[in-house]
């Protein structure tokens, strides 16, 4: 929903702030007051053409901002049109392109009238509208297409070019020979080799350190002999008996440690051959990881996948035959489900055309006829055509209708297919009509307001009276400058405005009575 529209220096509008509510809002006022400029402002928010001529005389730039409540979140669109230079677009305060503004705006608002943002003018939306109207079940076709696409991908991956396949087989065999020769079995082998290399590379130094420690701790060594002497000095001294006992135990422990170190020194063996083997193996693993994976585990996984791929390539003829047979079946399924969709779309197209045409009869287009053309199965090519007069050929909507006619065709389409953007703006929908037809247009717009927020620019009191809200746009010219004000009308103010629209005499008592009756009747018939 569009909750607020702010406009500065756009045409005759110096500053305008419009707070909008749900339902249907009628924008009324004298001819030239600036009503259509409000629609132009919305058009700019949707990425419409930013013409510098729109900037108010004497101003540097025109600014339009719109605040939307979209799916529970606030979205703010902003467009700045300078009198000279390039226009700028913003989404939630951030710079954006006009294209991205238009893409987002298309989800929020549809303009119907002289502007070109009507979603139903685009073929893809016409097809979607037809599918919604006819409750066309697209699921089987979508599933069949997805399955066929997946099968085509698998067939392409299998390989169809004999030379390319031969080259890939040769590469697979070469890589497999390299990986088979490496004999990879342990994904943690590299860690084990690193630890073994550390031991082997330091063998001589470790043996020498163990021997020196064993000699020092032995009975003839500096540490061992010293402890023996200290123990002898404390012997037979009652005050130091417990310390003497601990020292004796320490002498025995040091002697055992010396023995262990001697044995360890004898067990450490320098093995330059094994060290070279370990280092060579580590270099091989590094090279394999560089080619086939970040870790040894990934290289092993690549090895398994490569074996499967080679088997697949070598068994190409059988697999290709199986896939080609499956492709034939999947293609047939797409054709079959597409035919069902095409039939459903053509059936829906006839009913859609009849219903829209019936609405146009009520909207002062008695000779008009709408047809929905559906292309070959599955009927993805959908065109909604309008024959505006008897005997005239059906033409695309943009070619067959004037601004007012197009707005009424869009209104009729919306009445039949109510889905679409949450905000619908109608301009010129009442062009060339009046009386009972105007009341029909007003009631039709009011019906749409049950599911959409409706903004309608209108000169007709019959249309305005059907709105939930009415906003008057008034132009003031003091001889020096022209300004525009916006006033939300309630109660007696709305009666006065409807009187002006009815007779041009807002002070006329009879006009006011008529306006009051019109408003009461229009609101009561909803």
């Amino acid at each position: 929903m569009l909750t607020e529209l702010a406009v500065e220096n756009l045409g005759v509008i110096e500053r305008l702030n419009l707070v909008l509510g749900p339902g249907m809002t009628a924008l009324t006022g004298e001819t030239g007051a600036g009503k259509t400029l409000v629609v132009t402002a919305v058009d700019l928010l949707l990425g419409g053409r930013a013409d510098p001529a729109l900037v108010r005389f004497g101003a540097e730039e025109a600014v339009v901002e719109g605040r939307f409540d979209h799916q529970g979140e606030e979205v703010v669109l902003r467009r700045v049109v300078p009198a000279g230079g390039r226009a700028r677009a913003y989404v939630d305060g951030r710079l954006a392109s006009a294209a991205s503004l238009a893409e987002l705006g298309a989800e929020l608002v549809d303009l119907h009238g002289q502007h070109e943002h009507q979603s139903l003018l685009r073929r893809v939306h016409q097809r979607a509208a037809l599918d919604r109207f006819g409750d066309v079940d697209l699921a089987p076709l979508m599933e069949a297409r997805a399955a066929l696409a997946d099968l085509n991908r698998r067939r392409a991956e299998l390989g169809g070019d004999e030379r390319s396949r031969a080259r890939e087989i040769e590469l697979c065999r070469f890589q497999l020979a390299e990986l088979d020769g490496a004999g990879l079995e342990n994904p943690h082998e590299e860690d084990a080799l690193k630890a073994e290399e550390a031991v082997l590379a330091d063998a001589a130094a470790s043996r020498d350190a163990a021997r020196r420690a064993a000699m020092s701790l032995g009975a003839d060594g500096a540490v061992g002999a010293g402890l023996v002497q200290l123990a002898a000095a404390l012997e037979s001294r009652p005050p130091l008996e417990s310390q003497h006992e601990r020292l004796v135990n320490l002498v025995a422990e040091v002697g055992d440690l010396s023995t262990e170190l001697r044995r360890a020194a004898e067990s450490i063996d320098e093995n330059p051959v094994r060290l070279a083997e370990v280092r060579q193996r580590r270099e091989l693993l590094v090279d394999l990881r560089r080619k086939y994976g970040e870790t040894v585990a990934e290289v092993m996984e690549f090895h398994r996948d490569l074996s499967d791929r080679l088997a697949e390539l070598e068994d190409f003829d059988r697999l290709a035959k199986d896939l080609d047979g499956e492709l034939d079946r999947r293609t047939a399924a797409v054709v079959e489900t597409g035919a069902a969709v095409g039939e459903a779309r053509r059936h829906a197209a006839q009913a859609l055309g009849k219903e829209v045409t019936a609405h146009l009869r009520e909207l002062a287009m008695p000779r008009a006829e709408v047809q929905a053309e559906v292309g070959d199965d599955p009927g993805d090519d959908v065109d909604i055509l309008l024959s505006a007069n008897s005997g005239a050929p059906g033409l695309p909507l943009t070619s067959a209708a004037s601004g007012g006619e197009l707005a009424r065709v869009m209104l009729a389409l919306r009445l039949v297919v109510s889905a679409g953007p949450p905000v619908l703006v109608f301009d010129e929908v009442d062009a060339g009509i009046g009386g009972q037809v105007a009341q029909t247009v007003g009631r039709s717009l009011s019906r749409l307001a049950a599911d959409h927020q409706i903004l309608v620019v209108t000169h007709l009191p019959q249309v305005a009276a059907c709105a939930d809200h009415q906003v008057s746009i008034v132009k003031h010219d003091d001889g020096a400058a022209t300004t525009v004000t916006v006033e939300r009308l309630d109660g007696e103010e709305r009666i006065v405005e409807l009187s002006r629209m009815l007779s041009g005499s807002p002070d006329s008592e009879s006009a006011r009575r008529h306006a009051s009756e019109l408003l009461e009747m229009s609101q009561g018939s909803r």
Side-chain angles (χ1 to χ4, degrees):
M1 183 175 77
L2 176 59
T3 59
E4 186 174 2
L5 180 68
V7 183
E8 290 184 14
N9 297 321
L10 184 69
V12 296
I13 300 176
E14 182 179 19
R15 181 171 282 102
L16 178 150
N17 190 272
L18 189 57
V19 177
L20 298 164
M24 175 179 168
T25 298
L27 305 178
T28 63
E30 296 281 2
T31 300
K35 300 185 298 301
T36 299
L37 279 175
V38 174
V39 180
T40 301
V42 176
D43 176 58
L44 287 171
L45 290 181
L46 304 184
R49 181 171 176 266
D51 188 345
L54 292 171
V55 180
R56 180 179 170 85
F57 179 75
E60 294 182 357
E61 60 185 20
V63 180
V64 179
E65 290 183 296
R67 187 186 308 275
F68 294 85
D69 181 355
H70 183 49
Q71 297 178 350
E73 295 185 2
E74 184 178 85
V75 177
V76 178
L77 306 184
R78 187 169 187 256
R79 194 80 181 276
V80 178
V81 183
R86 297 185 60 182
R88 304 186 300 279
Y90 301 83
V91 176
D92 289 334
R94 293 190 172 189
L95 271 171
S97 66
S100 62
L101 196 71
E103 183 178 354
L104 177 58
E107 299 179 16
L108 302 171
V109 182
D110 232 358
L111 287 180
H112 301 296
Q114 60 182 329
H115 300 273
E116 299 179 357
H117 294 284
Q118 298 96 327
S119 62
L120 287 175
L121 294 180
R122 294 187 283 275
R123 176 179 279 183
V124 62
H125 293 292
Q126 292 180 3
R127 182 178 66 232
L130 178 63
D131 289 341
R132 283 193 301 271
F133 172 78
D135 196 20
V136 178
D137 185 6
L138 299 176
L141 177 59
M142 295 299 101
E143 292 172 3
R145 283 175 170 173
L148 180 60
D150 180 64
L151 203 60
N152 277 319
R153 177 187 56 77
R154 287 166 53 195
R155 183 63 175 82
E157 290 175 353
L158 184 61
D161 180 75
E162 187 174 353
R163 290 184 179 180
S164 298
R165 193 165 60 255
R167 286 194 296 268
E168 188 178 358
I169 288 174
E170 184 177 354
L171 177 61
C172 286
R173 286 173 176 169
F174 172 80
Q175 293 176 327
L176 279 173
E178 183 179 27
L179 292 166
D180 288 340
L184 299 177
E185 296 180 355
N186 179 8
H188 305 293
E189 180 183 2
E190 200 165 19
D191 293 335
L193 290 172
K194 183 178 180 181
E196 186 179 358
E197 181 183 2
V199 172
L200 290 170
D202 201 37
S206 297
R207 186 178 62 246
D208 292 343
R211 285 175 176 172
R212 288 195 303 272
M215 290 177 62
S216 181
L217 296 175
D220 298 329
V223 176
L227 290 174
V228 170
Q229 292 176 3
L230 291 173
L234 297 181
E235 190 177 6
S236 301
R237 297 183 185 279
L240 303 173
E241 183 177 355
S242 63
Q243 288 82 2
H244 173 261
E245 183 179 351
R246 290 171 62 189
L247 196 54
V248 170
N249 292 335
L250 184 58
V251 169
E253 177 67 21
V254 169
D256 291 341
L257 181 58
S258 175
T259 301
E260 290 180 12
L261 286 168
R262 190 180 301 109
R263 290 172 181 169
E266 292 172 354
S267 68
I268 296 175
D269 183 25
E270 285 188 81
N271 191 342
V273 175
R274 176 57 185 165
L275 178 59
E277 290 175 349
V278 169
R279 285 175 171 168
Q280 185 177 12
R281 180 68 175 178
R282 287 193 68 192
E283 289 177 0
L284 173 63
L285 295 181
V286 168
D287 184 55
L288 292 176
R289 287 195 296 102
R290 179 179 59 81
K291 295 178 181 177
Y292 306 120
E294 291 293 327
T295 64
V296 173
E298 289 184 12
V299 174
M300 295 174 68
E301 183 179 0
F302 178 83
H303 187 189
R304 291 189 293 271
D305 294 342
L306 194 64
S307 297
D308 295 340
R309 177 58 176 166
L310 181 60
E312 187 179 76
L313 289 168
E314 291 177 336
D315 198 20
F316 170 82
D317 290 337
R318 182 187 63 81
L319 291 172
K321 184 178 180 181
D322 291 345
L323 283 176
D324 288 343
E326 183 65 15
L327 275 170
D328 290 340
R329 290 189 290 274
R330 294 294 185 185
T331 301
V334 169
V335 172
E336 182 180 352
T337 55
V341 168
E343 182 180 358
R345 281 173 169 164
R346 290 185 190 90
H347 179 74
Q350 292 180 359
L352 176 68
K354 289 180 180 178
E355 289 198 26
V356 175
T357 298
H359 281 294
L360 290 180
R361 297 285 186 270
E362 300 173 351
L363 299 175
M365 296 182 69
R367 306 298 182 188
E369 184 176 351
V370 167
Q371 295 176 322
E373 281 193 353
V374 178
D376 295 336
D377 290 336
D380 286 342
D381 295 333
V382 175
D383 291 290
I384 295 179
L385 307 177
L386 171 67
S387 172
N389 301 292
S390 299
L395 297 174
L397 296 178
T398 50
S399 304
S402 64
E405 289 174 333
L406 183 59
R408 273 176 275 164
V409 172
M410 288 299 167
L411 174 56
L413 278 167
R414 287 294 179 201
L415 290 170
V416 175
V417 186
S418 62
V423 182
L424 303 180
V425 181
F426 288 89
D427 187 20
E428 297 188 3
V429 71
D430 56 8
I433 63 172
Q436 185 63 41
V437 175
Q439 289 183 325
T440 301
V441 170
R443 287 194 295 268
S444 298
L445 290 168
S446 180
R447 283 170 51 195
L448 282 181
D451 300 309
H452 301 81
Q453 183 189 34
I454 305 294
L455 273 67
V456 56
V457 175
T458 182
H459 293 276
L460 297 180
Q462 296 93 331
V463 174
C466 291
D468 300 284
H469 318 285
Q470 185 169 346
V471 172
S472 174
I473 299 177
V474 181
K475 181 170 68 174
H476 305 275
D477 188 343
D478 62 3
T482 302
T483 59
V484 171
T485 59
V486 173
E487 184 179 359
R488 189 184 181 99
L489 304 177
D490 293 302
E492 186 62 24
E493 295 172 335
R494 190 170 184 185
I495 298 296
V496 171
E497 174 65 4
L498 289 173
S499 300
R500 181 197 64 76
M501 298 174 73
L502 280 166
S503 67
S505 302
D507 297 327
S508 168
E509 287 298 327
S510 61
R512 291 194 180 192
R513 283 195 303 272
H514 188 184
S516 180
E517 291 173 2
L518 178 62
L519 184 61
E520 183 178 350
M521 179 181 65
S522 299
Q523 297 294 314
S525 64
R526 299 178 58 187

